[in-house]
Each structure stands twice: as C-alpha cells, then as structure tokens.
C-alpha cells in the first residue's frame, strides 16, 4: 500500500452533497456550557428547513441560506434546532426545523404554468423555498453549502418523523445538541438513521448494464440500485440487487465512491460489478427496461450526443460518475 | 477495469457474519399466496431468538440451530416470524422471536463459577442459549449458519424494539414477510435499520495506528471505528473519527471490505487511511490509549508472539483482516 495505492483509491468525484468541511464537534455535544457559549456567538448561523424544503433568502447575488438566529426567530420559532458543526473560523452553524404551519401552499404563475403550486412563507417575499434536488441540479448554492444542507435535511427529516419512542410509543426528548432522542419512560436512546444503499454498474468486457425505473425522466438510463439489508455485505447486496432487477449474475465487486443522498437519509455506496452472465430478465416492477450498452454508446449518452437521444444520469448523481469512471477506463 | 482490477478489488476475508448465500426472495415478500405455500412446506425451518440470544438444540454432533415450525411452537409460540430466505433446495428459513418470558435466568455452576447465571428454556434441557459473539468466537456453527443468524438477529432486534410508530406512537403492524412495519393511524412505513460504521487502519509508511477502548480485553489494540453520520461520505467519516479519537489527520482513504455486525445491526465498512500527521492526542473517552505500531510489531501481535503479550483483534472481526492486509502489504 504505497502512494499509488492511495492515489487510485479515493477519487475526487464532483457529485452533489459530498462536500462538507464543517467541524462536527461531535465530542462536544454533551457539554452544556460549551453549547451555551457557542449558541451565544454573534456569528452563529442556521439553515432553515420546513416540510423537508430549504428556506432561502433571495439576494441580489443569488440565494443565501445562512440566517442569524434572530433572523430564524423572525421567520418562525423553530420546533427543533440541531448543531451541525462549525466553520473553519469557529462560527457554529445550526439546522432549524420550522413547524409545517410556518409555510403555505400558493399558486405561482411566474413561469406560465397557472396550476403550479409552491410553498411560501406568508408575508415574506424576501424568502423562497426550493427543494434539495433543484438546488443540486441547478447549482443554486456552493458545493459546500449544498453538502451542509444535505446533512441538515437528513437530520431534520429524522427529527420530524421520529418524535415518538419506537420501543414504547412515548414522546421522546432531544439530547446531544440534536443528535440523539431519549425516552424518559422506557429509557431507550434513539439515533439519527442513515440507510446504506448500493448503487452499481455491472460490466461485461466492453459493455455495461443500465436500467430505467418507471419514475425516471424520459429516455434516461442509469445504474441499478437498492437498499442494503440486515446481515448483508456491500458486495452481496450489489450482486443480489443486480440479479433481482435484471436477472444478471455477477462475480467480483469493486467499491468506487460514496455519496450522501438526503432523500430522505441514504448513503449511496457506488460499486462496479463484474457480470458473469449476459441474459436479461427485467423484473418489470423496479425496472421497466434494462439493456447492455457498448462503451461507445455510453460515452455518447454522457456527452449528450446519443443518436436516439438516450440520456445518462445527471452529474449531481454518483451514477453519472460510476458510468464515467468505467467509460474512461 | 480488467481482470486484475477485479481480482484486487474484492478480497475473500474469512471474518464472521459475512457468509450468507440464502436467496432472500425479496421480490416475493408481497405475494400472500406464495408466502402461504412456502410456510406450509414440510422442509421449512426457523432460527429462534429470545432476548437477543440464539436458542440452539444440543446434539451429539454439536449445536443445531434449525427448528421445524412445529418444533418452534413446542418451545413457545413466537411473538414474531420473519422470512429470511430460502436455501439452495428451495426450503424456506425463518427467524422466530420468542417473548422474553419464554426463558429464565438460571445459576450455572458447570464451569466451576458458582455465581454464573445463564438463560435457559424451562423444562427443555435439550436446548441452550448462546450469544452471537460466542458463536462466532468459538466457531460453534458453520460460517453460513453464523451469517444467517446475523441476519436474523439484526432483523429481530429491530422488531423487538420498534413495535411502535416513531412518527405518532401507535402500535405498528408487520408486513412484507417481516421486512416492514406499517402504521394504520398515520400511514407511516418503517423499515429495518442498518447502521453504517466506519472501521479503519490509519497508516504512515511502515507504521499503523491502533487504539484501546476501555471495554477491550486486556492488552488488545485494534482499529479505530465509529458511526457514520447524516450527510457524510465514508471517506469523511473515516477522517473525522480518526481525528476525534487520536488527533491524527488523514488524507486519502481506501475501502477494503465490509462486514455485517449484529450488535445490534451495524454494517462495518473497513478502510485503510493515509495519515498526514503523526502526533497523538487521545481523547480519553472513546479511547484510553492509541499508539503507532511498526509493521513488525503488528505482525507479532497477529501471530500471538508479541514480547509484551499485546494482542491483535480476533479473526472474527474485520479489524483483524484490515491489519493483516496492511501487514502483508
């Protein structure tokens, strides 16, 4: 394991949600005095989420996601605050979750669609709600702020949907600066969940396997994927999911990279798998189609010049980079 | 990505809980007729768990974990049954969770310790309860059955502690052959959880970093480890945990292998990390000590011939194999 080993090991892959250089301060989450001093800092900032959607300030220079704690209160008193970490200069950044009632559904005809309905904060035309996917697709925030928002969204989704103790049903109490919930009745402790998902490109010589989920944009083919299950290795999950969805058997599996995927709280584990069979048997449920693509065709899809206008996944997704890594050898 | 790429990619690592060749039949879990026929098969078998402990039959040839469904009922009517999958011959295997009251704490002086207390099934001296760690450490079951038990334990631990809806507190109903819980009140769906944990060896040239948790067996040093958090890549989690526990900064991170770890439901993600600093600052909480070990010393620990009797982790654990992979280059 020399320089070359490491050089090849970790790839700088510019997909969304993967950049986050906050100091998470995880060892200080049980220190009330430290937390109190941190919260009192005038440079403390917060990201706001409501109904799973980021709330952003409209500015001349673009969208601004960083609110002072007083600005948060002026929007709505949050039902939940969690410490995400600190910037390099020590300024803390929090996630603030607003009650669903802080926003309202409103008709928006600004883009010509009369029946389009958007979420908005009443009386605050200086604010806008934009979903995480659009933020990443359109590059509305820096890579770093997009990554920090992914952390905020996964954590706040968990709080929003885990207010009760799964063990006994009682209402739980927040602890550890927002990173634990505790049950005072049965004493159970609950931690934010992250669901491992395997996402992979099966390859056979100069061909790779891509599939279409019914919900995909028209003409888009992508890598297969699925949740890793109890008692399963990453490699076994990769082989099982490929076989279930396409009927193709695989042998060796190689890990390439991982991506936080906040819909709502997954960890995408990206792999390349060596196919040992070719015949396809598409399940018709998870996938509506799957095909073997020669390398040249996959390259044309990545470069947006496929003769039949077939599309590769967007570069915000790890699937794009698995495909690109294979196409480029 | 040629044969050599894949050959080096996936290592056959003989750690515990990683072998499980069941067909999980995950695409058939919503098919009531199929499930009913499966359950009626005379060759259907079940693994039994009670209070997180496997229940095993004592036999002349060793311990037998496979019960017929009638045998399960004769021990105690299970509070929960889930379909783990099918053996190669099509015979289904289930996990059966017994009520805590099906077993009792009993004094056991068989090994000379008068105050030793064990769990036992009243009136059934033909059965014994052995914890998963002992099964793996002592090799009491085949690698395959140990792996299937890991799947059963993770799943049944989740059922045992997630009977209520985390969203609204109501009691939930089991669906999908034991792979989902549904809330009839708020309509939330809940899935078994698997918690990703990073476990890693930081290396700097011919030295590697090992630490001691206070709960470790005397004289044992092992890889550092910790839970991956919301919004974090595997690589960032590796770097964060090493820095928090030891003060060492790392650069590139390389994935090596993964291991299901049913205590209660983790996925160990094993990596090697390239250290970029040397100075140690041990946190004293998660670790009581951490040291740089020259390769020769680590090799002596793996081979049980360290002059000061320092020990490497047991070969059931992925930490052993990360260390061995590095020692052997």
């Amino acid at each position: 394991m020399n320089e070359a080993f490491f050089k090849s090991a970790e790839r700088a892959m510019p997909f969304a949600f993967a950049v986050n250089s906050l100091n998470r301060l995880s060892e200080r989450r049980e220190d009330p005095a430290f937390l109190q001093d941190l919260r009192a800092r005038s440079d403390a900032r917060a990201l706001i989420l409501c109904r799973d959607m980021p709330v952003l300030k409209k500015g001349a220079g673009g969208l601004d996601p960083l609110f002072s704690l007083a600005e948060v209160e002026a929007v709505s008193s949050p039902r939940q605050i969690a410490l995400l970490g600190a910037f390099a200069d020590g300024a803390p950044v929090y996630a603030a979750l607003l009650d669903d009632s802080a926003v309202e559904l409103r008709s928006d005809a600004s883009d010509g669609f009369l029946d389009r309905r958007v979420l908005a904060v009443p009386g605050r035309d200086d604010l806008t709600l934009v979903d995480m996917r659009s933020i990443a697709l359109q590059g509305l925030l820096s890579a770093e702020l997009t990554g920090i928002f992914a952390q905020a969204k996964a954590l706040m989704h968990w709080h929003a949907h885990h207010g009760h103790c799964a063990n006994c049903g009682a209402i739980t109490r927040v602890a550890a600066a927002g990173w634990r919930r505790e049950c005072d009745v049965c004493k159970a402790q609950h931690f934010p969940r992250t669901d491992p998902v395997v996402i992979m490109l099966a390859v056979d010589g100069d061909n790779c396997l891509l599939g279409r989920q019914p919900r995909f944009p028209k003409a888009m083919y992508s890598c297969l994927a699925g949740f890793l299950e109890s008692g399963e290795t990453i490699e076994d999950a990769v082989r099982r999911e490929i076989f279930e969805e396409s009927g193709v058997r695989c042998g060796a599996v190689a890990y390439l990279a991982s991506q936080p995927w906040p819909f709502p709280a997954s960890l995408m584990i990206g792999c390349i798998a060596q196919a040992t069979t070719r015949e396809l048997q598409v399940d018709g449920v998870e996938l509506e189609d799957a095909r073997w693509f020669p390398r040249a065709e996959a390259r044309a899809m990545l470069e947006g010049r496929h003769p039949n206008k077939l599309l590769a996944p967007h570069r915000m997704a790890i699937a794009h980079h698995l495909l690109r890594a294979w196409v480029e050898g």
Side-chain angles (χ1 to χ4, degrees), chain A residues 4-156:
Chain A
F5 169 78
F6 282 109
K7 199 144 194 165
S8 70
E10 186 174 350
R11 292 146 194 276
M13 289 199 179
F15 35 71
F17 313 127
V19 179
N20 181 338
S21 59
L22 285 184
N23 175 355
R24 290 175 176 244
L25 299 168
S26 58
E27 74 284 18
R28 310 300 298 275
R29 291 175 189 156
E30 310 282 352
D31 182 342
F34 172 81
L35 295 175
Q36 196 174 349
D37 289 351
L38 203 62
R39 186 99 162 238
R41 285 179 63 139
S42 62
D43 56 1
R45 292 293 177 271
L47 305 178
I48 300 181
L49 285 150
C50 186
R51 302 197 201 186
D52 269 348
M53 298 263 281
V55 180
L56 306 167
K57 293 188 265 191
K58 299 182 205 165
L63 297 169
D64 177 6
L66 294 171
F67 292 75
S68 73
L69 301 187
E71 286 175 323
V72 174
E73 288 291 337
V75 178
S76 176
S77 192
R79 64 180 267 200
Q80 184 68 58
I81 287 256
L83 174 63
L84 299 176
F87 291 115
D89 64 0
V93 56
Y94 298 87
L97 177 68
L98 306 188
D99 269 323
D100 288 359
S101 61
V103 298
E104 63 180 19
L105 258 180
R106 185 182 288 178
S107 291
D108 173 24
S110 63
D111 57 3
F113 291 95
L114 289 174
D115 58 350
R116 184 165 174 257
R117 286 166 73 77
V118 297
L119 288 170
V121 182
R124 290 295 301 266
D125 290 342
D126 58 324
L127 304 179
T128 182
L129 283 87
V130 186
D131 68 279
M132 283 296 297
R133 208 176 291 259
S134 299
I135 288 175
L137 273 170
Q138 300 170 34
L140 299 178
L141 298 176
S142 69
E144 174 81 23
L145 286 168
T146 306
I148 297 172
F149 241 126
Q151 177 191 359
K153 180 172 180 293
L155 184 59
M156 287 299 150

Side-chain angles (χ1 to χ4, degrees), chain A residues 198 200 209 211-213 223-227 239-248 280-290:
Chain A
V198 289
M200 53 272 165
L209 178 64
R212 264 191 63 70
Q213 292 179 25
C223 297
L224 311 192
F227 287 98
R239 285 184 282 261
R240 176 181 56 77
E241 284 287 346
I242 293 172
F243 179 71
E244 283 175 9
E245 295 186 4
S246 72
V248 169
L280 294 168
Q281 194 157 5
V282 178
D283 71 2
V285 181
E286 303 233 23
L287 293 185
E288 62 179 29
D289 188 27

Side-chain angles (χ1 to χ4, degrees), chain A residues 49 195 211 234 273 300 328:
Chain A
L49 285 150
D195 295 306
I234 290 170
E328 296 176 354

